[in-house]
Amino acid sequence: MTDETYPLTDDQRRMARVMAGMGVARRQIAKYLRMDEAALATRLGDDLEQAEVEANTKVAKALFTMATQKNNVAAAIFWMKARAGWREKIEIRPVVENDLSYLTDAELAAEIARIEREIRGAGGVLEGPALDRDDDRVASRIPRGG
């Protein structure tokens, strides 16, 4: 980069403020001004932070106006979620079509074996540790020879 002691023109300062207000990264602003980020922070840091605050305030004002005076429902909902803590309520309810909790372990193992036979009969392939009959962890729960 260039020497950080060269004077910035009013146009360069103005453009840096505009860029900061529009959310351009400090790295990009420094590159535009041909200086490193440390020099930018030293020379324009406070100005750029002020520009960001002013831009955010302007957008917030526009959003607030849209939500309160222009009947923009989306703006009102966004405001309430972002500023008032509103959240979408998501309710998860498990749906069990065939409740097998009443079965004994032996009955459950028999049902698993029946389903395995049904899948194999339809040309399906069974794989995975829960269906590995040589796995000692499940061997006692799944009848052999099924």
Side-chain angles (χ1 to χ4, degrees):
M1 296 285 167
T2 61
D3 180 19
E4 66 180 67
T5 59
Y6 76 90
L8 292 173
T9 66
D10 288 342
D11 285 342
Q12 287 174 313
R13 288 178 179 277
R14 194 172 309 116
M15 182 57 131
R17 284 180 56 86
V18 167
M19 293 170 79
M22 292 172 50
V24 175
R26 299 287 172 99
R27 177 178 47 82
Q28 297 286 343
I29 297 170
K31 187 173 184 174
Y32 172 79
L33 295 173
R34 293 184 170 80
M35 65 176 63
D36 61 31
E37 288 182 66
L40 178 68
T42 300
R43 298 176 74 186
L44 293 175
D46 290 341
D47 286 339
L48 300 183
E49 286 181 27
Q50 185 65 32
E52 291 168 357
V53 169
E54 290 170 6
N56 287 340
T57 301
K58 187 174 183 177
V59 171
K61 181 180 176 184
L63 177 65
F64 185 79
T65 299
M66 288 170 31
T68 59
Q69 296 173 15
K70 302 208 177 188
N71 296 325
N72 185 319
V73 174
I77 291 170
F78 177 81
W79 181 273
M80 294 305 291
K81 285 181 179 180
R83 304 291 299 166
W86 276 20
R87 299 284 177 257
E88 299 288 330
K89 181 179 179 183
I90 299 173
E91 188 173 326
I92 300 173
R93 293 184 193 190
V95 176
V96 179
E97 291 181 16
N98 296 320
D99 181 13
L100 304 177
S101 64
Y102 63 90
L103 296 177
T104 66
D105 287 348
E107 291 170 330
L108 185 58
E111 181 64 13
I112 290 170
R114 184 192 66 74
I115 293 170
E116 284 180 342
R117 285 191 301 276
E118 189 176 309
I119 291 171
R120 284 194 182 97
V125 177
L126 297 174
E127 48 185 56
L131 300 173
D132 183 359
R133 294 189 186 282
D134 294 327
D135 187 341
D136 292 336
R137 293 172 294 164
V138 297
S140 64
R141 291 182 282 151
I142 300 176
R144 297 207 177 264

